[in-house]
Amino acid sequence: MRRHRETATTRDLFAESGIDVNRLIMPVFVEEGLKGTRPINSMPGISRYGLDVLPEYLLSLQDAGIRAVLLFGIPLKKDAEGSSAYAEDGIVQNAIRIASSKTGMLVIPDLCMCEYTQSGHCGILDGSMVDNDRTVDVYGRIAVSYAKSGAKMVAPSGMMDGQVRAIREALDKNGFRNVSIMAYSAKYASTLYSPFREAADSTPSFGDRRSYQMDPRNAREAMTEMELDIKEGADMIMVKPALFYLDVLAKARARFDIPIAAYSVSAEYSMIMNAVNAGLVQPEVINEAITSIFRAGADSVITYFAERIARQESGN
Ligand code: PBG
Ligand code: ZN
């Protein structure tokens, strides 16, 4: 076995998997009304961007080799209906228009309501529960408004039942048959989202998300979620988080032939960055972590390390 490990050339020749920058998706936060950038304390090295500096930032990512970004908006106004999420000149709608006119990037808006509702929950409340069916109707409306702004793909992350079907139908009915859906299919109710909630200002004001996101104890149930999303018309399914859920990813890879994304979430990023910054582990840990997600079977990986990895590989 050691013969093929002898030189870098043979190691590379025999490598079964690896990081492909073409398959990395960088999450980007855009804040309404912000001028310039604002660092996110919970995520060292990650910032929110104002629309004034967004083109410049996206072009620099593009120069480094990043082809796709996942867009999150932080609106000025929140209400019970999450109406800023489908406003014609909402923050995400404006960002999509700017990004598609000034860059060649694939801009994928995350489609949820938690940044837009006063409650911080992912949909419209009925008492203390999120009303599933009223919420998926709003998701359809948000999807259409993103498509009208120029989005070619949307990524519903709310974990409502039937959300993919509702979005597919709304898109088709409005003439957007060519807009595709990257479905957050197996999204767990994870503690690993807490740095993100500071980044996106989307912490629930009461309770938690366990009545819609998956129980971390379940892997077979994830297969059902993915199967449903495929039947409802998902073009790509997703496992989220990634590193603690590689078993789920590998199981999904063995079972489904459609493209699978894995989302390495905010705390995966922050825990590793803090360990690197503290000198506890070498920076190469970043490559090892992201490689493990590709090795487990992901076709593409959403990671806050995308920018850093791309810059390192390209020297840009
Ligand atoms: C919104 C959403 C969340 C993340 C992506 N989309 C937060 C949540 O569900 O609370 C988490 C991403 C991350 O932690 O990096 N539904
Ligand atoms: Zn949400």
Side-chain angles (χ1 to χ4, degrees), residues 112 114 157 187 193 196-197 209 213 240 265-266 304:
C112 199
C114 46
S157 63
K187 176 176 178 180
Y193 308 148
F196 172 93
R197 289 178 188 167
R209 304 205 200 291
Q213 298 178 348
K240 175 188 175 185
V265 301
S266 53
Y304 302 92

Side-chain angles (χ1 to χ4, degrees), residues 4-129:
H4 66 239
R5 294 179 197 147
E6 200 171 301
T7 66
T9 305
T10 53
R11 286 193 293 272
D12 285 347
L13 193 65
F14 287 101
E16 297 171 19
S17 66
I19 299 176
D20 178 357
V21 173
N22 290 314
R23 296 172 179 278
L24 295 181
I25 301 171
M26 178 71 190
V28 172
F29 298 99
V30 285
E31 178 179 338
E32 191 168 24
L34 177 67
K35 296 250 179 300
T37 63
R38 184 206 299 277
I40 298 161
N41 292 323
S42 56
M43 303 181 70
I46 305 293
S47 295
R48 293 180 181 181
Y49 292 82
L51 290 178
D52 57 335
V53 293
L54 185 66
E56 182 192 341
Y57 175 57
L58 292 181
L59 288 170
S60 83
L61 287 180
Q62 196 168 279
D63 284 344
I66 297 288
R67 318 282 294 273
V69 293
L70 183 64
L71 201 60
F72 292 95
I74 298 105
L76 281 171
K77 190 182 122 249
K78 297 176 193 265
D79 60 25
E81 258 67 55
S83 61
S84 300
Y86 49 79
E88 209 175 299
D89 68 342
I91 176 65
V92 168
Q93 287 79 356
N94 284 331
I96 296 168
R97 277 189 288 267
I98 290 176
S100 35
S101 70
K102 303 210 164 149
T103 77
M105 276 204 166
L106 176 65
V107 179
I108 311 165
D110 178 89
L111 196 166
C112 199
M113 292 171 68
C114 46
E115 296 95 341
Y116 304 90
T117 53
Q118 265 151 358
S119 69
H121 277 287
C122 299
I124 296 177
L125 292 180
D126 177 12
S128 62
M129 285 288 282

Side-chain angles (χ1 to χ4, degrees), residues 79-82 111-139 142 157-163 197 202-213:
D79 60 25
E81 258 67 55
L111 196 166
C112 199
M113 292 171 68
C114 46
E115 296 95 341
Y116 304 90
T117 53
Q118 265 151 358
S119 69
H121 277 287
C122 299
I124 296 177
L125 292 180
D126 177 12
S128 62
M129 285 288 282
V130 175
D131 184 322
N132 193 88
D133 294 3
R134 279 181 68 201
T135 297
V136 300
D137 284 347
V138 180
Y139 287 178
I142 300 170
S157 63
M159 288 299 282
M160 297 300 134
D161 288 338
Q163 62 183 14
R197 289 178 188 167
S202 64
T203 309
S205 62
F206 66 89
D208 53 48
R209 304 205 200 291
R210 284 183 291 183
S211 79
Y212 38 102
Q213 298 178 348

Side-chain angles (χ1 to χ4, degrees), residues 185-250:
S185 306
K187 176 176 178 180
Y188 287 87
S190 173
T191 50
L192 298 172
Y193 308 148
S194 42
F196 172 93
R197 289 178 188 167
E198 183 196 319
D201 190 22
S202 64
T203 309
S205 62
F206 66 89
D208 53 48
R209 304 205 200 291
R210 284 183 291 183
S211 79
Y212 38 102
Q213 298 178 348
M214 283 186 58
D215 190 313
R217 292 173 293 190
N218 300 349
R220 292 195 306 272
E221 186 188 22
M223 302 305 115
T224 308
E225 284 282 6
M226 290 187 246
E227 212 168 286
L228 284 168
D229 280 0
I230 294 168
K231 284 195 185 124
E232 290 178 25
D235 299 281
M236 192 175 214
I237 52 178
M238 189 199 297
V239 174
K240 175 188 175 185
L243 292 175
F244 290 4
Y245 297 83
L246 293 181
D247 59 324
V248 177
L249 182 57

